[in-house]
Amino acid sequence: MIKIAPSILSADFSKLGEDVKKLEMCNADVVHIDVMDGMFVPNISFGIPVIKSIRNITKLPFDVHLMIEEPGRYIEDFVKAGADIITVHYEADRHIDRTINYIKSFGVKAAIALNPGTPVSVLKDIIPSLDMVLIMSVNPGFGGQKYISYASKKIKEVNELKEEYNKNLIIEVDGGIDVHNIKEVVQSGAEYIVAGSAVFKNGNIEENINNLKEAAK
Ligand code: DX5
Ligand code: ZN
């Protein structure tokens, strides 16, 4: 069964609490939280206090996607803010193995995200240590961008590594997913599907999530 992970980057920040509360009743499975520092990506979103403020609003797991330089500096803060999964970018961390083990030392799931231009082969040695791999299907920084088609091939490559080295690995995909391409990413092997604009558009969260789940079949 796939899981839909709405990215709250596309929520209405003036009523963020209400939107997050709705997700649980609207068949969402995970809350995807995009943290941007204006350095690793050319945009600034929100940080630790915002995550803390919505933690008690929902029981859904928090999937925290850190688009920040040297994420190792802030892991403990994000754990305390309520993260269940912490994803760091391969490109943002010179000591990725140390950071992954550090995340896991808190009993939180650890994941690596790869930018579109980063090959899957860089994961080969570390994959047994990971709980999840996130394949970016847009260049990170903004919601509402177009799906980069070669991401599907990369998902398949991660799936091959999963078969060989880590059968419990979760494969997540993020960026430009909608009802037209969700089936392709699921068939390629993705199980956690991040969707921002496709979930929050027109304010019909429940209908949008149900349409995505239906289109994935
Ligand atoms: C991009 C973020 C994504 C993004 C997804 O940097 O990591 O999570 O918000 O939004 P859509 O689904 O609109 O591409
Ligand atoms: Zn994201």
Side-chain angles (χ1 to χ4, degrees), residues 86-123:
I86 295 182
T87 301
V88 293
H89 267 263
Y90 178 82
E91 305 84 2
D93 195 325
R94 276 179 287 230
H95 301 286
I96 198 82
D97 178 86
R98 178 187 288 145
T99 302
I100 289 300
N101 285 308
Y102 186 47
I103 295 170
K104 286 165 55 171
S105 74
F106 293 102
V108 167
K109 286 197 165 88
I112 293 179
L114 297 184
N115 279 339
T118 306
V120 170
S121 56
V122 299
L123 296 174

Side-chain angles (χ1 to χ4, degrees), residues 160-194:
E160 283 162 20
L161 291 179
K162 169 177 169 163
E163 287 305 311
E164 195 166 351
Y165 300 109
N166 182 353
K167 292 226 161 34
N168 296 319
L169 187 79
I170 299 165
I171 303 176
E172 181 171 59
V173 60
D174 181 5
I177 313 289
D178 59 22
V179 288
H180 304 293
N181 56 23
I182 189 169
K183 192 164 183 171
E184 176 184 322
V185 301
V186 169
Q187 282 175 343
S188 301
E191 308 160 75
Y192 278 39
I193 314 296
V194 178

Side-chain angles (χ1 to χ4, degrees), residues 7 9-10 32 34 36 65 67 136 138-145 174-177 194-198:
S7 162
L9 193 61
S10 297
H32 185 83
D34 287 307
M36 303 178 179
H65 178 193
M67 286 162 274
M136 289 305 301
V138 297
N139 287 293
F142 305 93
Q145 302 182 81
D174 181 5
I177 313 289
V194 178
S197 31

